[in-house]
Amino acid sequence: MTEIEENTAVADGAETVATEPTHSGFVALIGATNAGKSTLVNKLVGAKVSIVSHKVQTTRAIVRGIAIHKTAQIVFMDTPGIFKPRRRLDEAMVTTAWGGAKDADVIMLLIDSERGLKGDAETILEGLKNVPQPKILALNKIDQVSREDLLKLAAAANEYVEFERTFMISALTGSGCENVLDYLAEKLPQGPWFYPEDQISDLPMRQLAAEITREKLFLRLHQELPYSSHVETEGWEERKDGSVRIQQVIYVERESQKKIALGKNGDAIKAISMASRKELSEILEQTVHLFLFVKVRENWGDDPERFREMGLEFPR
């Protein structure tokens, strides 16, 4: 029998081609703050689905990025960084991260190779001991550390938790990422895909737009504005000329923070608006008219409604 004949079957007089079984599942990406999780998710998905900044705790709720690799649909869950919480928002983010890990088919721990097991990484490893799901380890920023130190770090982490596989990667350049995708494509359970083939995230566009503006806010005012600042999309109007009018509000907790967000003569808010509008236009592939406002909402970090809007559970 020829190779073609081996891969075909005849049923009811019609020729049908046998196909490989599909795989699908959820992979929770966890790690300490600024380990590079959002950068890695964007690289693995091949498009921007999670915002990135130098500010710690940028990711607040779980963002799902969807990658297609071979016959597998891999849903990466970018979770908030795990750290020692100091306030209610911190507690909600850490709880969300661990909750995402427990809901996944596979857990991938990302460790910054330069920082090693210092700080929160060791605490996360201890917490993973009680999580039953299969676990893999990814050491990030391998171009910044010697091979000898990488091997020592991998051995030390595996003493805490028995990882099924350890990967050496660079989320920034993509080095080693193909190996991660190959492994997960075979590891995830067989089954139909959860999302349409062309969908790269489950984040509603209004929320993604708010996240992009929040990213630009942090990039512009990294040192000056607290990470608790919040952005909401309050208006979205599709216009007859094919453009879209988006109205967003940046919420801060004090009047002094409002002045920082606006900047001298409005310079800061203009720069933030320009950067956000440019990226939104590229994503939406249409002209964007973006209107930003800054409002003071004192103690919004104690308001359950704000937590729900961010996809977080309000800690009691």
Side-chain angles (χ1 to χ4, degrees), residues 65-136:
I66 306 162
I68 304 297
H69 189 70
K70 298 181 179 177
T71 62
Q73 185 178 73
I74 309 166
V75 185
F76 291 100
M77 304 162 67
D78 182 14
T79 64
I82 297 174
F83 59 104
K84 186 177 180 179
R86 296 183 177 85
R87 50 190 293 178
R88 184 169 270 155
L89 177 59
D90 299 344
E91 185 181 342
M93 289 162 58
V94 172
T95 300
T96 296
W98 282 116
K102 292 173 182 176
D103 290 338
D105 295 290
V106 176
I107 297 171
M108 179 161 64
L109 171 63
L110 186 66
I111 290 181
D112 182 331
S113 298
E114 289 186 293
R115 280 188 277 170
L117 301 187
K118 298 176 183 176
D120 296 314
E122 190 172 15
T123 303
I124 296 170
L125 284 165
E126 288 288 352
L128 279 176
K129 291 179 180 180
N130 301 317
V131 180
Q133 283 93 332
K135 293 170 278 288
I136 61 175

Side-chain angles (χ1 to χ4, degrees), residues 2 46 54 69 81 107 125 158 175 184 191 239 251 259 291 303:
T2 65
H54 300 297
H69 189 70
I107 297 171
L125 284 165
N158 276 273
S175 175
L184 291 172
R239 294 186 162 182
Y251 286 102
K259 293 178 181 178
F291 297 86
D303 182 354

Side-chain angles (χ1 to χ4, degrees), residues 4-248:
I4 294 177
E5 289 172 334
E6 289 175 348
N7 288 286
T8 61
V10 177
D12 297 328
E15 185 178 278
T16 59
V17 179
T19 58
E20 293 184 57
T22 58
H23 294 248
S24 59
F26 293 83
V27 179
L29 185 54
I30 68 170
T33 57
N34 276 7
K37 297 186 299 301
S38 296
T39 301
L40 179 57
V41 167
N42 291 340
K43 181 65 68 174
L44 292 170
V45 172
K48 185 170 184 175
V49 295
S50 193
I51 67 172
V52 179
S53 85
H54 300 297
K55 211 171 188 67
V56 297
Q57 295 108 42
T58 301
T59 301
R60 288 178 177 164
I62 292 176
V63 176
R64 294 174 181 85
I66 306 162
I68 304 297
H69 189 70
K70 298 181 179 177
T71 62
Q73 185 178 73
I74 309 166
V75 185
F76 291 100
M77 304 162 67
D78 182 14
T79 64
I82 297 174
F83 59 104
K84 186 177 180 179
R86 296 183 177 85
R87 50 190 293 178
R88 184 169 270 155
L89 177 59
D90 299 344
E91 185 181 342
M93 289 162 58
V94 172
T95 300
T96 296
W98 282 116
K102 292 173 182 176
D103 290 338
D105 295 290
V106 176
I107 297 171
M108 179 161 64
L109 171 63
L110 186 66
I111 290 181
D112 182 331
S113 298
E114 289 186 293
R115 280 188 277 170
L117 301 187
K118 298 176 183 176
D120 296 314
E122 190 172 15
T123 303
I124 296 170
L125 284 165
E126 288 288 352
L128 279 176
K129 291 179 180 180
N130 301 317
V131 180
Q133 283 93 332
K135 293 170 278 288
I136 61 175
L137 173 66
L139 301 182
N140 192 23
K141 304 180 183 178
I142 58 171
D143 51 334
Q144 305 296 319
V145 182
S146 70
R147 179 171 176 78
E148 182 181 357
D149 287 342
L150 285 170
L151 292 175
K152 288 180 180 177
L153 177 57
N158 276 273
E159 286 182 7
Y160 283 88
V161 177
E162 188 176 345
F163 292 100
E164 296 195 355
R165 189 72 65 87
T166 297
F167 296 92
M168 309 287 185
I169 69 163
S170 169
L172 195 60
T173 67
S175 175
C177 289
E178 192 76 10
N179 295 332
V180 174
L181 291 170
D182 285 342
Y183 175 81
L184 291 172
E186 295 184 4
K187 178 68 178 177
L188 292 177
Q190 287 188 20
W193 291 355
F194 296 104
Y195 300 95
E197 186 174 356
D198 59 350
Q199 187 170 339
I200 61 172
S201 175
D202 69 345
L203 200 64
M205 189 51 67
R206 289 171 68 103
Q207 191 175 342
L208 177 61
E211 286 290 276
I212 288 172
T213 298
R214 188 164 66 94
E215 177 189 62
K216 307 312 177 192
L217 178 73
F218 285 168
L219 290 173
R220 172 78 184 191
L221 303 170
H222 172 51
Q223 299 293 339
E224 298 137 285
L225 205 63
Y227 85 95
S228 57
S229 304
H230 178 53
V231 179
E232 292 181 14
T233 300
E234 296 197 342
W236 188 291
E237 178 190 353
E238 298 284 348
R239 294 186 162 182
K240 293 181 180 179
D241 62 1
S243 66
V244 58
R245 183 187 190 278
I246 302 173
Q247 180 176 316
Q248 296 178 330

